Amino acid sequence: MNIEIKFRAQRTDTKEFVYGYYHEVEAEGVGYSYIFWQGNTIPVRADSVGQFTGLLDKNGKEIYEGDIYHMGDNTITYTVVWNDSGFIGKQNGSSSYAGLEYWMDRIEIIGNVYENKKLIN
């Protein structure tokens, strides 16, 4: 399985999400974050960067770190997080986890932690 390594992050100027390769640099003690895509260098918010998991939800939507999803029951939501050696779903409001690959045919992305914080509660 070939997984494309790419990232998603919010632009600093419009808060629109952009996708591509992530790079972080430091100049004179200040950190700067960028997404490189199709010849463009786009400044992004470092706290909004999420890596592509290599998986798609049941609707064919790419799953990224920081995405919020459910598996059929809208009252039980999960957030995609990195845990030890891979991405998993952390159940919001609980200490439970769900494997993404095992459940991906039921996963439906409903938002992300950067734009939809209310979905976590």
Side-chain angles (χ1 to χ4, degrees):
M1 177 174 168
N2 289 333
I3 297 175
E4 182 178 9
I5 299 175
K6 65 180 177 178
F7 295 83
R8 168 186 75 189
Q10 284 183 313
R11 297 174 62 119
T12 56
D13 57 352
T14 65
K15 294 195 178 185
E16 169 189 22
F17 277 95
V18 291
Y19 301 80
Y21 304 99
Y22 178 67
H23 186 67
E24 190 173 84
V25 295
E26 186 175 320
E28 299 179 12
V30 178
Y32 299 93
S33 299
Y34 300 96
I35 292 282
F36 298 105
W37 189 247
Q38 299 176 340
N40 296 311
T41 303
I42 304 164
V44 295
R45 292 182 35 226
D47 64 345
S48 72
V49 175
Q51 186 174 350
F52 178 46
T53 64
L55 302 172
L56 305 176
D57 77 355
K58 71 179 194 173
N59 299 314
K61 186 173 182 176
E62 293 179 338
I63 302 173
Y64 284 84
E65 181 179 13
D67 277 342
I68 300 169
Y69 68 90
H70 66 77
M71 295 188 291
D73 182 342
N74 294 348
T75 64
I76 302 173
T77 61
Y78 299 81
T79 299
V80 178
V81 298
W82 178 265
N83 187 19
D84 293 330
S85 62
F87 292 105
I88 58 171
K90 161 96 176 62
Q91 185 176 340
N92 296 313
S94 171
S95 59
S96 297
Y97 291 89
L100 294 178
E101 286 188 54
Y102 184 80
W103 295 104
M104 68 185 228
D105 63 330
R106 296 180 61 194
I107 291 173
E108 182 174 11
I109 301 299
I110 57 173
N112 62 64
V113 297
Y114 315 108
E115 298 175 306
N116 310 99
K117 292 185 189 299
K118 68 179 189 267
L119 294 175
I120 297 171
N121 299 328

